[in-house]
């Protein structure tokens, strides 16, 4: 049957992430890290683009530069 559980989950994830873009834009952010589930999403707010995604386990000992905001989703 359609929609499948997977597509429903993806739609939910996209709604949460889109909300993160809105929150960051309201605060004047340009580049942000979204913390969502076990992933850090590096985002350009003006272009509403996810630049990269890093899993929690791989994010340890990394430094994110040129970030002006963190949004915890």
């Amino acid at each position: 049957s359609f929609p499948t559980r997977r597509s429903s989950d993806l739609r939910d994830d996209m709604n949460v992430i889109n909300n993160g873009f809105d929150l960051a834009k309201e605060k004047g952010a340009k580049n942000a890290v979204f913390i969502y589930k076990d992933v850090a999403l590096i985002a350009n707010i003006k272009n509403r683009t996810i630049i990269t995604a890093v899993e929690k386990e791989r994010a340890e000992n990394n430094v994110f530069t040129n970030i002006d905001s963190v949004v915890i989703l």
Side-chain angles (χ1 to χ4, degrees), residues 3-66:
T4 64
R5 178 77 180 133
R6 186 176 217 174
S7 67
S8 176
D9 290 346
L10 180 59
R11 191 172 18 259
D12 292 345
D13 290 342
M14 290 304 302
N15 286 337
V16 171
I17 292 166
N18 278 321
N19 185 52
F21 277 106
D22 294 339
L23 291 169
K25 184 178 180 182
E26 287 173 14
K27 297 293 184 180
K30 295 180 181 165
N31 292 296
V33 175
F34 295 162
I35 306 298
Y36 182 57
K37 296 183 179 178
D38 287 338
V39 180
L41 302 164
I42 312 306
N44 179 282
I45 305 308
K46 179 180 176 185
N47 296 329
R48 294 185 75 89
T49 304
I50 298 295
I51 298 166
T52 193
V54 181
E55 293 176 345
K56 182 179 176 182
E57 299 81 35
R58 300 188 71 197
E60 291 180 17
N61 298 317
N62 279 326
V63 176
F64 300 112
T65 60
N66 299 319

